[in-house]
Amino acid sequence: MESFELELGDQWRRAGAGRPHDPTGVPPSRFLWGSNYPPMRFTFSGDGSTKNTLQFFSVKVAKINESLQWPLDVYGFFSVRDVVDHKRNMIFSRDRDNCQTISQEDPYLTLTGPTRAVVVTSDPLYFEIELKVKGTAESEDKYLSRLIMTYRTGFLDRSFTSGLSTLEMAFKEIIQSVEATISVKVVDGSWPDGFRGVFCASIDDIASLKVKLLECGDDRLPLDADGNIKLRCKVVSVGLEGLLRISVMAQCINGDQVVESHCREDVKSHEVVFEPRRSGTSSNTELKIGSCRMEVTVSWSLFSYQL
């Protein structure tokens, strides 16, 4: 693995991409004309086009070595590199002081990315995974998974064994897609007491797979000073001919248990639907849970012609 990392680093330096461990510097929504989004890291010509992209839905720790015991405190990163800037586009990232605890009943990592859409071209993508299990002391930490691999169109593997685990991923290549950057703001009312929320995005042609934007651990929404909900994941790839669905589900909390049967119908779930656009923004203020009314805004972006 070390020799592969050195070779990868040489490739990035020859491409003028800087250090191989740098995170991506290209923001989402970079072709939003008239917006206040930061400019692109590189100068692109033209007004952009659709591209094939790779959408991640979940990463599951499917098996662990007998030397480990559930639950696990996991930290580290999972990133993808593409031709946009050859730098790490984080799909999952946590430091040792902010581990995620996963259990045998819920062995899924909470994805926090990508930072921008992952573009698929004739050049390979590179997956980098370095996950650790936190021990009593840092010297006792163990590698849960550590590997580097390439992805090309048609790549079928979804199960990867390394370190002390087997990871199972759900991802799909989205054809002729645009990039959707999602924001949700509370505009009226308040989140119902005794309920926790799950916000998801789904794409019309693969509605069975959902991108989890946020799962609240208690009955409070994480809000900034302006009422914007602090989503963990914001960027989704959508086929230009498809639909984007944003949904919220409220789950009754009874201690640490979720009790669906006690929920009122008006606070269970709701969704809004967007037709993709090549640029600009779309808004919908009809996402509701009980008295809590939320405005969903989607910023649409194309990709550089030069990719």
Side-chain angles (χ1 to χ4, degrees), residues 215-279:
E215 181 173 10
C216 305
D218 52 29
D219 62 351
R220 295 184 180 181
L221 294 180
L223 303 177
D224 66 15
D226 297 320
N228 296 298
I229 299 173
K230 299 177 182 179
L231 302 176
R232 291 187 180 274
C233 182
K234 299 179 181 179
V235 178
V236 177
S237 295
V238 186
L240 193 59
E241 301 301 321
L243 293 173
L244 173 64
R245 300 177 185 274
I246 308 297
S247 63
V248 58
M249 179 173 62
Q251 298 176 324
C252 302
I253 303 173
N254 182 3
D256 293 330
Q257 302 297 316
V258 176
V259 187
E260 292 290 352
S261 61
H262 293 171
C263 294
R264 303 194 315 272
E265 287 299 323
D266 65 331
V267 297
K268 277 191 175 181
S269 63
H270 196 212
E271 75 170 20
V272 292
V273 182
F274 295 89
E275 293 185 2
R277 298 174 56 179
R278 300 177 69 88
S279 64

Side-chain angles (χ1 to χ4, degrees), residues 83-101:
V83 297
V84 174
D85 63 0
H86 302 288
K87 295 184 179 180
R88 285 175 175 164
N89 190 347
M90 293 296 184
I91 309 299
F92 172 87
S93 179
R94 283 180 180 255
D95 58 33
R96 194 175 188 275
D97 295 329
N98 184 33
C99 294
Q100 179 186 346
T101 301

Side-chain angles (χ1 to χ4, degrees), residues 67-228:
S67 64
L68 299 176
Q69 290 186 337
W70 301 101
L72 304 175
D73 290 329
V74 178
Y75 71 98
F77 71 89
F78 166 34
S79 68
V80 180
R81 300 178 190 265
D82 62 13
V83 297
V84 174
D85 63 0
H86 302 288
K87 295 184 179 180
R88 285 175 175 164
N89 190 347
M90 293 296 184
I91 309 299
F92 172 87
S93 179
R94 283 180 180 255
D95 58 33
R96 194 175 188 275
D97 295 329
N98 184 33
C99 294
Q100 179 186 346
T101 301
I102 61 173
S103 64
Q104 192 168 8
E105 295 73 29
D106 186 11
Y108 290 89
L109 299 181
T110 299
L111 305 187
T112 55
T115 306
R116 55 166 176 77
V118 177
V119 176
V120 178
T121 65
S122 57
D123 292 330
L125 301 176
Y126 292 93
F127 292 7
E128 295 179 77
I129 300 173
E130 188 171 294
L131 300 174
K132 288 186 175 183
V133 177
K134 183 178 180 179
T136 305
E138 191 167 357
S139 60
E140 298 178 3
D141 294 355
K142 298 179 180 180
Y143 278 107
L144 180 66
S145 181
R146 192 184 190 203
L147 63 105
I148 298 176
M149 55 194 173
T150 58
Y151 170 90
R152 292 182 184 273
T153 296
F155 183 77
L156 298 178
D157 285 347
R158 297 293 188 272
S159 181
F160 311 98
T161 299
S162 70
L164 298 174
S165 69
T166 297
L167 302 182
E168 291 181 357
M169 300 184 192
F171 56 82
K172 183 176 176 61
E173 194 167 324
I174 310 300
I175 307 302
Q176 294 300 298
S177 63
V178 293
E179 180 184 76
T181 303
I182 301 161
S183 63
V184 183
K185 180 178 183 178
V186 176
V187 294
D188 191 27
S190 60
W191 187 260
D193 293 335
F195 292 81
R196 69 183 186 189
V198 180
F199 292 78
C200 293
S202 59
I203 306 167
D204 195 49
D205 56 348
I206 42 174
S208 60
L209 295 175
K210 296 181 183 295
V211 179
K212 189 174 289 185
L213 306 175
L214 176 68
E215 181 173 10
C216 305
D218 52 29
D219 62 351
R220 295 184 180 181
L221 294 180
L223 303 177
D224 66 15
D226 297 320
N228 296 298

